[in-house]
C-alpha cells in the first residue's frame, strides 16, 4: 500500500505539534468548522446536493465504511447523485466533536462520533482554510465495533475481505 505525501504531512502534524491548543486559540475557526460540518451533515439529510458538495475541496476524498470505498470528490458526486435526486441520502448527527489546528491555523483535523442508521459511527477528516472558509480535504467514515463483538464481526466480514486482501497483496 502506498502512503500519500499528504497523509505523511498530517501524521507529522499530529506527532510534532501540540494538539492541546489553549482554549482561547482558534475559537472563531472552531465555531466556523462546527457550523460548516453541521451544515454539511444537514445538507445530506435534506438531500441538498449543491450545498453538500460545496463544503468539499475540489481535490477532496471521501473514504467510506466499505474497504473498496475511496471516492474522489468527482466520483463521489457521480455515485451519490441518484440518491440526492431521489431525496434519500443519509442523516448523520454529531454527538461530540474534537477539532485541532496546525500552528499556522490553516489546516485542521477533527474526529467525531455520529448517530446514524448504522448506529454509532466515527467521522474524521482533514480541513483546509481556503479564502475565508474551511473545506473538507479528506473525510473518513468508520463504523464502530464494541470490543466484545470484534470476533463476531471479523467472522462475518472475513469471506468478503479475505478476497480483497488477496487482491491487494498481489
Amino acid at each position: 500500500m502506498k502512503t500519500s505525501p499528504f497523509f505523511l504531512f498530517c501524521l507529522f502534524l499530529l506527532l510534532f505539534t501540540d494538539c492541546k491548543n489553549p482554549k482561547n486559540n482558534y475559537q472563531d475557526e472552531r465555531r466556523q468548522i462546527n457550523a460548516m460540518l453541521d451544515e454539511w451533515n444537514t445538507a445530506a439529510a435534506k438531500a441538498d446536493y449543491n450545498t453538500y458538495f460545496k463544503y468539499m475541496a475540489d481535490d477532496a476524498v471521501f473514504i467510506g465504511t466499505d474497504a473498496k470505498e475511496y471516492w474522489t470528490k468527482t466520483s463521489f458526486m457521480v455515485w451519490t447523485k441518484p440518491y440526492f435526486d431521489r431525496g434519500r441520502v443519509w442523516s448523520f448527527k454529531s454527538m461530540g466533536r474534537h477539532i485541532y489546528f496546525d500552528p499556522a491555523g490553516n489546516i485542521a483535523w477533527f474526529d467525531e462520533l455520529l448517530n446514524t442508521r448504522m448506529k454509532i459511527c466515527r467521522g474524521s477528516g482533514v480541513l483546509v482554510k481556503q479564502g475565508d472558509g474551511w473545506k473538507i480535504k479528506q473525510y473518513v467514515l468508520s463504523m464502530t465495533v464494541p470490543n466484545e463483538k470484534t470476533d463476531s464481526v471479523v467472522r462475518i466480514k472475513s469471506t468478503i475481505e479475505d478476497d480483497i486482501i488477496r487482491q491487494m497483496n498481489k
Side-chain angles (χ1 to χ4, degrees), residues 79-98:
W79 182 77
T80 60
K81 184 76 166 106
Y83 298 99
F84 276 92
D85 288 347
R86 282 189 289 229
R88 289 182 318 204
V89 191
W90 52 83
S91 180
F92 297 166
K93 301 269 190 220
S94 181
M95 299 185 300
R97 183 180 292 142
H98 305 103

Side-chain angles (χ1 to χ4, degrees), residues 23-39 97 99 101 134:
K23 286 192 176 205
N24 291 332
N25 280 352
Y26 305 115
Q27 286 307 308
D28 288 339
E29 287 84 357
R30 256 191 197 85
R31 277 191 285 281
Q32 288 174 22
I33 289 170
N34 276 313
M36 183 271 291
L37 291 171
D38 289 343
E39 288 172 25
R97 183 180 292 142
I99 301 170
F101 296 88
W134 290 90

